[in-house]
Amino acid sequence: MSIRRCLILVWMVAALQILSMGQDQPSQNSTTQSSSDDGTVRTAPAAALSGYAGMETEGASGDLPNIPAMLGGQGTSAAFLSELERSNYLRGGINVSATYDDNPLLLSSGVVSNTSETIFPSIRIEESSSRMRWTLGYAGGLTVNQKITSENEGSHNLNFDSQYRLSPHVNLRVAENFSMTTGFFDAGNGAEVVAGAGGPNASLIAPLATQRSSVTTVETNYHLALNDLIGASGSYYDSHFSNGPSGTPLTDSQTASGSAFWLHRLFGADWGGASYRFDRLTFNLGGGETRVHSFLAVDTLNISKRFTLNGFIGPQYSETQGLETQALVTGAPQPTQSSGWSVSGGAEGGWRNQRTSVSAGYSRSISDGGGVLGSVRVQTVHGTLRRQLVPGWAALLTASHGTNQSITVPFATSASSINVTSADVELERNVGKRIGLRFGYTHDFQEQFGVPGPTPTSPAQTLDANRNRFVVTLSYQWAKPLGM
């Protein structure tokens, strides 16, 4: 992240904080009264919007819509209800981890295992008011690999997320996540990638390499009537790879997205409407580019803080420009163009209480190739279960499966499609409020189809790779009230 962008974020936080101090609303339990000419006392009507649409706030109205991540809102969280309670705090801590990975380079043959040790200090500030909520967190540290010493580098993660009520009817969300990581990264600062529309493709796993990425999201919505809400969002995702394994090229990519939506209350807490979204995916190699226009029907159901359900479906029109695979081999550029219609759709639901959190989802769309492929048609299904077993002990189970069909091929050695299946089990132990211990195991199975053979006349190959990762993390966290 550039110094200029950091300064812009700092000034934005300061300006919004000063503005919110001068515009705090009185308690919603109080009423405003006025006297008419005949002496009759009349009560002023309440504002149409009594909470942040699409934002989790204490005391917010449960029938306001939850803005889906594809429209620039926040995704479904695996946190318990008790962990969502936030206030004005300065938090910090340190994570120390040991990891064993039996195939960090995701090879189908000649597998080399690796053991690594990491240390990541972190710090985060949280502030809430009647009009504004924002968090700013940073984590940085060092990973030391025992066998793949060329990847011994520092990792950094900077996360900013702000939610602001511009007026009783207008909300604004601005979020930024910057990271520079090498392999497995456990920040421990509560900072997660803010994906939204046009975010990274999480269904593909890149081999051990240095990745520098940033995700910027801006979303606003206007409650123009009691039962109608309109909004717009924009996001930009930038990803760069370096120090990759020999013989496994990785491609840089950029994704710019914009969307506009309209939601209407159908009944109760069920809101339905329409959305238009534009995505522009560009890749450094050969100047490949894919432009996607999506016309979607959207429905979101938000019942208090316990249950959320989002769904979307509609046609997608894509236009692709790139180079033919043979041109990458011969070095003679032969540009190619293609276009066509496809179906985009998906659904995501989540439920949680004080001790349990469950979420699951399915999606089908066009996305980036995660550094491994160019633009792809991706289908993903995922599920998460988090449960507090007894006080101080919690378990987490996650599973996902993704299929990625190439639209553009960035390298002559690239596969035509990649399927990835992952499963993760974690056991968490908290000793008081400061010390935590986590044991985790992850298994990844990757299938690559249509990999070119060693010679032009060789048939295409199918390569499989299995990966097992064990991690143990010891953490120490502290929190100090700010009294704001």
Side-chain angles (χ1 to χ4, degrees):
M1 178 185 293
S2 64
I3 297 178
R4 181 180 180 183
R5 182 176 291 183
C6 292
L7 292 175
I8 291 174
L9 291 177
V10 171
W11 280 110
M12 182 180 295
V13 172
L16 291 178
Q17 172 62 14
I18 294 173
L19 185 60
S20 66
M21 292 174 62
Q23 297 185 5
D24 281 347
Q25 298 292 321
S27 173
Q28 296 189 19
N29 293 328
S30 62
T31 59
T32 303
Q33 295 181 339
S34 61
S35 299
S36 62
D37 294 338
D38 57 4
T40 305
V41 178
R42 298 177 179 177
T43 302
L49 184 61
S50 59
Y52 294 79
M55 305 177 184
E56 294 172 343
T57 58
E58 299 175 11
S61 176
D63 60 354
L64 290 175
N66 180 54
I67 307 300
M70 57 162 292
L71 300 179
Q74 295 177 313
T76 304
S77 171
F80 304 139
L81 281 179
S82 58
E83 296 173 330
L84 291 175
E85 298 175 359
R86 303 173 184 173
S87 187
N88 302 311
Y89 277 94
L90 176 65
R91 303 180 187 272
I94 186 171
N95 280 18
V96 180
S97 302
T99 305
Y100 171 77
D101 195 329
D102 68 354
N103 189 7
L105 302 181
L106 286 176
L107 300 176
S108 58
S109 60
V111 174
V112 177
S113 61
N114 181 57
T115 302
S116 61
E117 295 79 33
T118 62
I119 178 170
F120 290 119
S122 64
I123 189 168
R124 184 171 84 249
I125 184 171
E126 304 171 355
E127 183 180 344
S128 300
S129 69
S130 62
R131 300 181 62 90
M132 181 178 178
R133 168 171 290 172
W134 63 272
T135 62
L136 178 64
Y138 170 77
L142 178 66
T143 298
V144 178
N145 297 280
Q146 297 301 319
K147 294 184 178 180
I148 311 177
T149 56
S150 60
E151 298 294 345
N152 289 349
E153 294 187 11
S155 295
H156 306 272
N157 179 272
L158 178 64
N159 176 275
F160 170 76
D161 197 327
S162 65
Q163 304 165 357
Y164 182 68
R165 187 189 299 178
L166 297 175
S167 74
H169 304 275
V170 181
N171 296 321
L172 174 68
R173 175 173 179 252
V174 179
E176 169 76 23
N177 189 96
F178 170 82
S179 65
M180 185 174 69
T181 63
T182 301
F184 178 70
F185 179 71
D186 185 10
N189 70 335
E192 300 177 356
V193 173
V194 185
N201 184 349
S203 67
L204 283 170
I205 303 173
L208 185 64
T210 301
Q211 180 180 11
R212 176 172 57 86
S213 64
S214 63
V215 183
T216 305
T217 304
V218 178
E219 186 266 332
T220 183
N221 55 76
Y222 172 47
H223 200 195
L224 75 163
L226 182 62
N227 296 318
D228 290 279
L229 183 80
I230 59 174
S233 69
S235 67
Y236 184 76
Y237 172 60
D238 188 19
S239 176
H240 297 270
F241 291 90
S242 60
N243 298 332
S246 177
T248 307
L250 298 172
T251 181
D252 302 338
S253 65
Q254 299 81 36
T255 302
S257 301
S259 68
F261 62 89
W262 162 71
L263 294 175
H264 176 77
R265 190 201 307 266
L266 302 178
F267 59 88
D270 187 14
W271 295 68
S275 167
Y276 166 76
R277 191 177 80 220
F278 173 77
D279 300 285
R280 181 174 181 264
L281 297 82
T282 57
F283 306 90
N284 290 359
L285 183 65
E289 177 179 316
T290 298
R291 296 182 296 273
V292 185
H293 304 265
S294 303
F295 308 88
L296 305 172
V298 183
D299 189 85
T300 175
L301 178 64
N302 183 31
I303 303 177
S304 68
K305 291 185 178 182
R306 292 181 178 269
F307 179 74
T308 59
L309 179 64
N310 303 313
F312 65 96
I313 189 170
Q316 271 187 337
Y317 179 75
S318 61
E319 301 172 291
T320 300
Q321 298 178 347
L323 297 179
E324 294 179 353
T325 305
Q326 186 62 28
L328 299 174
V329 179
T330 63
Q334 299 179 18
T336 181
Q337 296 184 359
S338 63
S339 61
W341 289 90
S342 60
V343 176
S344 175
E348 183 178 33
W351 178 86
R352 61 190 168 212
N353 61 15
Q354 296 294 334
R355 298 182 56 188
T356 306
S357 174
V358 181
S359 64
Y362 165 82
S363 66
R364 171 191 173 96
S365 62
I366 295 177
S367 181
D368 71 283
V372 183
L373 300 175
S375 55
V376 297
R377 288 186 174 89
V378 55
Q379 294 188 71
T380 62
V381 58
H382 65 88
T384 301
L385 169 63
R386 187 161 178 248
R387 171 71 176 176
Q388 184 182 37
L389 305 176
V390 295
W393 287 90
L396 174 68
L397 303 175
T398 62
S400 64
H401 176 75
T403 62
N404 296 266
Q405 182 68 42
S406 293
I407 300 177
T408 59
V409 181
F411 304 103
T413 56
S414 297
S416 60
S417 65
I418 297 179
N419 297 346
V420 177
T421 302
S422 299
D424 178 76
V425 180
E426 294 185 10
L427 184 63
E428 306 169 7
R429 167 60 171 162
N430 292 324
V431 182
K433 295 183 177 180
R434 297 192 175 187
I435 300 177
L437 183 64
R438 184 168 76 250
F439 304 90
Y441 166 73
T442 302
H443 176 75
D444 300 316
F445 176 63
Q446 176 179 275
E447 298 175 288
Q448 299 188 60
F449 300 95
V451 180
T455 64
T457 59
S458 300
Q461 307 175 76
T462 299
L463 302 179
D464 299 339
N466 286 277
R467 180 183 186 183
N468 297 282
R469 185 173 67 232
F470 301 86
V471 59
V472 179
T473 302
L474 177 65
S475 62
Y476 173 81
Q477 308 291 330
W478 56 266
K480 179 181 178 181
L482 295 178
M484 297 182 183

